[in-house]
Amino acid sequence: MTDIKSMPIPRGSAARPGYVLAPAYITIHNTANAAKGAGAESHGLYMTKNGGQNSQVSYHFVVDDALIVQLLPETETAWHAGDGANGTGNRKSLAIEICENPESDLRKATDNAAELTALLMKRWGIPAERVVQHNHWSGKDCPHLIRAGKPYGWSTFLAHTRAFYDTLCRPGPDAPAQAAPAYIVQAGAFKSKGNALVYAEELKKRGVSCWVHRSGEYWRVQAGAFAEKKNAQTLAAALTQEGIEACVLQKNA
């Protein structure tokens, strides 16, 4: 795996809205910046120090042929999909930008993005059918190079992603079958369904994707469901940081 360098966008800036994200999709972009020197670190500097932080445009990762730069936590929203402040693309997807500067090997950069995509799929339990182009959300011609078959087309990108994913997830001879979601992130529990629905709407206004379901004698406001406990804990911690009480529960426990 290519090295990942953390270059966080400053908190409170226009490019970092701070809404909690429970990743359900991965969105692929090309940077549309073919200037010499416009690699991953250059984009990171722009987004953190050189003006990019002041615009309502952002992404989680930017990738070239030798480096991956992470600009936002995976549990925070980025403005990248072009489908509005409450759009599914912006509010529920992780964004990966692929560099196209001339001195970078485009094939290697795109391969690196495919490998990163596979890692995020595994980490967050995101299926292959939820790996999408920017075009999926807004109709924009993006990722414009992949859509033009450079260095290869979308079907090949997905094939590379699946190959990396299969390698990451290949079980050992004694490994158990892949687990179904076993841990939920609960943001509230109410005996009244009406109260649960009211609270869920309050959370949605704060940028938290959630739903209400009945379990036992309570109506529960649920913000996520994960196969791995650590992913549930990550989301619960992000919610708590935003002042929203959240806990991790094991399903059917």
Side-chain angles (χ1 to χ4, degrees):
M1 183 74 189
T2 302
D3 288 342
I4 299 178
K5 181 175 182 178
S6 178
M7 298 179 70
I9 295 170
R11 289 184 180 276
S13 61
R16 187 170 179 178
Y19 296 124
V20 175
L21 171 67
Y25 295 84
I26 299 168
T27 303
I28 306 300
H29 307 253
N30 284 123
T31 62
N33 184 353
K36 187 175 181 180
E41 189 160 12
S42 175
H43 279 86
L45 288 170
Y46 173 69
M47 290 302 303
T48 57
K49 296 181 179 180
N50 297 334
Q53 72 273 25
N54 299 320
S55 299
Q56 288 184 319
V57 177
S58 52
Y59 36 91
H60 295 89
F61 298 93
V62 58
V63 182
D64 63 22
D65 62 342
L67 181 67
I68 298 170
V69 168
Q70 182 171 1
L71 295 159
L72 290 170
E74 294 165 28
T75 52
E76 282 190 28
T77 293
W79 296 138
H80 66 96
D83 64 345
N86 294 310
T88 300
N90 279 327
R91 287 299 185 90
K92 293 187 178 182
S93 78
L94 293 165
I96 299 174
E97 291 272 0
I98 305 170
C99 293
E100 51 190 272
N101 49 313
E103 70 278 17
S104 178
D105 182 329
L106 181 62
R107 180 174 292 273
K108 176 60 176 170
T110 308
D111 286 348
N112 287 344
E115 187 172 9
L116 174 61
T117 299
L119 177 67
L120 296 173
M121 288 169 61
K122 182 177 186 296
R123 181 176 295 159
W124 292 103
I126 297 172
E129 58 268 24
R130 290 194 171 189
V131 177
V132 300
Q133 303 176 35
H134 182 184
N135 175 268
H136 175 83
W137 304 117
S138 67
K140 184 176 180 178
D141 184 22
C142 180
H144 73 112
L145 292 180
I146 293 176
R147 288 173 60 80
K150 302 176 183 178
Y152 42 71
W154 182 246
S155 61
T156 302
F157 178 84
L158 292 178
H160 282 304
T161 297
R162 290 189 186 100
F164 284 122
Y165 182 83
D166 288 345
T167 299
L168 286 171
C169 298
R170 185 175 295 132
D174 300 320
Q178 188 173 356
Y183 299 94
I184 65 171
V185 179
Q186 180 178 290
F190 302 84
K191 289 197 171 182
S192 163
K193 182 180 181 180
N195 290 342
L197 291 171
V198 168
Y199 186 60
E201 286 304 312
E202 291 176 1
L203 292 184
K204 288 176 183 177
K205 289 176 183 177
R206 296 178 64 177
V208 179
S209 296
C210 59
W211 62 96
V212 172
H213 71 104
R214 182 73 178 266
S215 177
E217 60 181 311
Y218 292 99
W219 291 93
R220 302 182 187 275
V221 181
Q222 185 173 323
F226 303 92
E228 295 188 22
K229 187 176 183 179
K230 63 181 180 180
N231 290 338
Q233 291 172 328
T234 297
L235 178 58
L239 290 168
T240 301
Q241 192 173 40
E242 296 296 321
I244 300 166
E245 291 187 10
C247 63
V248 176
L249 301 176
Q250 189 166 4
K251 290 177 70 175
N252 303 321

